[in-house]
């Protein structure tokens, strides 16, 4: 089940006017942006979604461009920015200054990180700036951790310590940052699932998120395994931790079913800017040049999101042909059904 933090259907109603305006004009300023400030990473996860893409481009975005883009996000009406990857955001030497600026401009801030560098002054800045932090940790058994993340076992203890200390820091400082652990679950690390949830709880996190392995979503055997083997464990963990005010999140989406919506609504709400500055029509298409709207290092975000290319791609890229397995499949269909409701004024 999805908690309020991950239930995107609940969030749509907070931005319904923006969504309806986007349908009228065929363009809109997104609510949130995933911002890849670097493609460099200190992990080597075997199933990384962006493995081939970041191998070709090890870009570190220049600090001056990062700061200008953050100011542009705030001025154009974007509400939130997620420092994501691409690579590991905390590898960029400008990340602390970028977060401080985003905070000053009034943006809500999220962070995806493996946690290896979340310590010292950086940890303090994250606790002061971020609304949430999601740690990418797929195993707590050292051997499985090494096999999955492709790094030395010695790093696990370091990351474990960083997560515990970060949660202690947020409690003692009065920070409202919500931290949790997100784990992509497959055959390699499934036996660590219960241990991961327990570690997240003991470390002071607020949730554990079990995620599909998107590299396996076209594999019907994996999807059947998820439904029949993995989900019963997730449900047991959900019941076990619910009384402790700790959530266990997972999805039950059938990713291979055909989308019902004939239009992509979600891309009007969320987009991505990669480390080269390219603005993706959809954040799942950030590695495909043909799906880029423009470049934020050379153009204003307003001109990109309200431009003719966005209108053109709105007509050309639809759920039936976008070529990716969409994590927002159910949300997009939900939006379509609500917008096209029969007799909407009768309840």
């Amino acid at each position: 089940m999805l908690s309020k933090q991950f239930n995107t259907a609940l969030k749509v109603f907070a931005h319904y006017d923006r969504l309806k305006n986007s349908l009228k004009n065929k363009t809109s300023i997104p609510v949130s942006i995933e911002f890849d400030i670097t493609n460099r990473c200190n992990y080597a996860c075997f199933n990384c979604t962006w493995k081939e893409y970041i191998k070709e481009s090890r870009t570190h975005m220049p600090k001056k461009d990062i700061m200008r883009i953050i100011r542009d996000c705030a001025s154009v009406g974007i509400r939130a920015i997620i420092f994501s990857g691409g690579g590991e955001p905390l590898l960029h030497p400008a990340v602390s200054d970028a977060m401080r600026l985003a905070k000053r401009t009034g943006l809500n801030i999220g962070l995806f990180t493996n946690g290896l560098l979340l310590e010292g002054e950086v940890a303090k800045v994250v606790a002061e700036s971020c609304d949430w932090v999601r740690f990418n940790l797929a195993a707590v058994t050292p051997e499985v951790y090494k096999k999955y993340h492709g790094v030395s076992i010695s790093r696990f203890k370091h990351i474990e310590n960083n997560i515990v200390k970060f949660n202690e820091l947020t409690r003692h400082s009065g920070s409202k940052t919500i931290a949790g652990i997100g784990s992509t679950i497959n055959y390699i690390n499934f036996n660590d699932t219960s241990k991961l949830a327990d570690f997240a709880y003991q470390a002071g996190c607020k949730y554990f998120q079990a995620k599909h392995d998107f590299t396996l979503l076209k594999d019907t055997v994996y999807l059947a395994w998820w439904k029949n083997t993995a989900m019963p464990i997730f449900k047991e963990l959900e019941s076990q931790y619910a009384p402790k005010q700790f959530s266990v999140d997972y999805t039950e989406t059938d990713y291979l079913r055909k989308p019902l919506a004939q239009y992509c609504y979600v891309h009007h709400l969320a987009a991505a800017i990669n480390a080269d500055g390219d603005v993706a029509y959809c954040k799942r298409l950030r590695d495909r040049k043909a799906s880029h709207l423009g470049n934020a290092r050379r153009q204003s975000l307003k001109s990109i999101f309200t431009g003719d290319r966005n209108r053109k791609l709105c007509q050309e890229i639809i759920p039936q042909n976008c070529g990716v397995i969409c994590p927002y499949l159910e949300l997009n269909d939900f939006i379509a059904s609500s917008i096209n409701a029969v007799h909407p004024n009768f309840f």
Side-chain angles (χ1 to χ4, degrees):
M1 189 177 74
L2 296 178
S3 64
K4 290 181 180 179
Q5 180 168 351
F6 295 106
N7 192 329
T8 47
L10 295 177
K11 301 178 185 182
V12 166
F13 293 105
H15 306 285
Y16 205 68
D17 288 345
R18 186 178 297 217
L19 187 60
K20 291 193 75 172
N21 184 61
S22 73
L23 298 179
K24 178 182 177 181
N25 299 316
K26 300 303 179 186
T27 66
S28 72
I29 304 300
V31 177
S32 67
I33 287 284
E34 288 190 9
F35 192 11
D36 304 348
I37 58 177
T38 182
N39 282 343
R40 302 174 193 177
C41 193
N42 47 8
Y43 266 25
C45 304
F46 78 95
N47 60 341
C48 175
T49 304
W50 309 117
K51 180 166 57 178
E52 296 304 317
Y53 164 60
I54 65 175
K55 186 168 65 175
E56 293 175 2
S57 172
R58 308 297 287 177
T59 306
H60 245 6
M61 183 179 285
K63 179 179 178 179
K64 63 180 179 62
D65 290 330
I66 293 172
M67 306 304 263
R68 188 189 61 76
I69 289 170
I70 289 172
R71 292 189 186 95
D72 202 5
C73 284
S75 66
V76 82
I78 289 166
R79 303 284 183 82
I81 189 167
I82 304 168
F83 290 93
S84 61
E88 165 54 46
L90 299 187
L91 274 172
H92 201 296
V95 67
S96 292
D97 288 341
M99 286 184 177
R100 289 191 185 103
L101 175 61
K103 182 74 171 178
R104 287 199 304 271
T105 59
L107 291 165
N108 293 121
I109 306 169
L111 171 66
F112 295 137
T113 179
N114 56 41
L116 188 62
L117 301 176
L118 190 65
E119 54 194 356
E121 185 62 25
V122 172
K124 291 179 184 177
V125 172
V126 170
E128 291 167 358
S129 306
C130 290
D131 294 87
W132 56 262
V133 176
R134 192 179 314 165
F135 295 102
N136 171 30
L137 181 64
V140 292
T141 302
E143 295 75 17
V144 181
Y145 171 86
K146 178 181 179 181
K147 183 175 183 179
Y148 199 107
H149 291 301
V151 293
S152 167
I153 290 175
S154 64
R155 291 192 179 184
F156 171 70
K157 279 296 179 185
H158 187 79
I159 289 171
E160 182 180 40
N161 187 55
N162 282 356
I163 294 174
V164 170
K165 284 191 172 182
F166 178 76
N167 287 322
E168 289 175 352
L169 172 64
T170 59
R171 284 197 304 273
H172 295 154
S173 66
S175 168
K176 296 182 179 179
T177 305
I178 295 174
I181 289 177
S183 302
T184 301
I185 303 297
N186 52 39
Y187 311 120
I188 289 176
N189 66 336
F190 177 63
N191 288 337
D192 262 22
T193 302
S194 296
K195 297 173 187 176
L196 281 161
D198 182 64
F199 169 69
Y201 175 72
Q202 297 295 338
C205 294
K206 299 299 183 184
Y207 65 86
F208 167 68
Q209 182 191 28
K211 302 183 293 181
H212 282 89
D213 186 334
F214 268 69
T215 67
L216 296 175
L217 282 185
K218 293 183 180 180
D219 183 347
T220 56
V221 174
Y222 171 75
L223 293 177
W225 171 85
W226 180 275
K227 179 180 179 180
N228 299 320
T229 302
M231 281 219 309
I233 299 300
F234 303 154
K235 290 178 184 293
E236 285 180 17
L237 291 171
E238 180 183 24
S239 298
Q240 176 185 337
Y241 285 102
K244 301 177 181 180
Q245 303 299 304
F246 177 86
S247 65
V248 174
D249 293 281
Y250 54 93
T251 63
E252 301 180 60
T253 303
D254 177 6
Y255 285 105
L256 291 188
R257 74 165 175 80
K258 291 183 178 180
L260 303 176
Q262 299 296 311
Y263 182 85
C264 178
Y265 302 94
V266 175
H267 91 274
H268 288 300
L269 300 174
I273 302 173
N274 68 26
D276 294 310
D278 293 321
V279 180
Y281 169 85
C282 163
K283 62 185 185 179
R284 287 283 295 153
L285 297 172
R286 57 174 21 105
D287 59 334
R288 303 187 187 183
K289 284 283 185 184
S291 301
H292 293 166
L293 301 174
N295 190 283
R297 293 174 63 184
R298 298 188 292 270
Q299 302 164 261
S300 72
L301 291 177
K302 183 176 181 179
S303 69
I304 291 172
F305 286 119
T306 63
D308 290 339
R309 179 158 177 78
N310 197 359
R311 290 188 178 89
K312 181 174 182 286
L313 292 184
C314 279
Q315 304 307 312
E316 294 179 356
I317 302 177
I318 60 174
Q320 286 74 18
N321 71 8
C322 67
V324 298
I325 297 175
C326 181
Y328 296 113
L329 175 66
E330 290 183 341
L331 175 62
N332 202 58
D333 285 346
F334 169 77
I335 294 171
S337 63
S338 63
I339 286 174
N340 299 312
V342 177
H343 299 154
N345 296 329
F346 291 91
F347 286 87

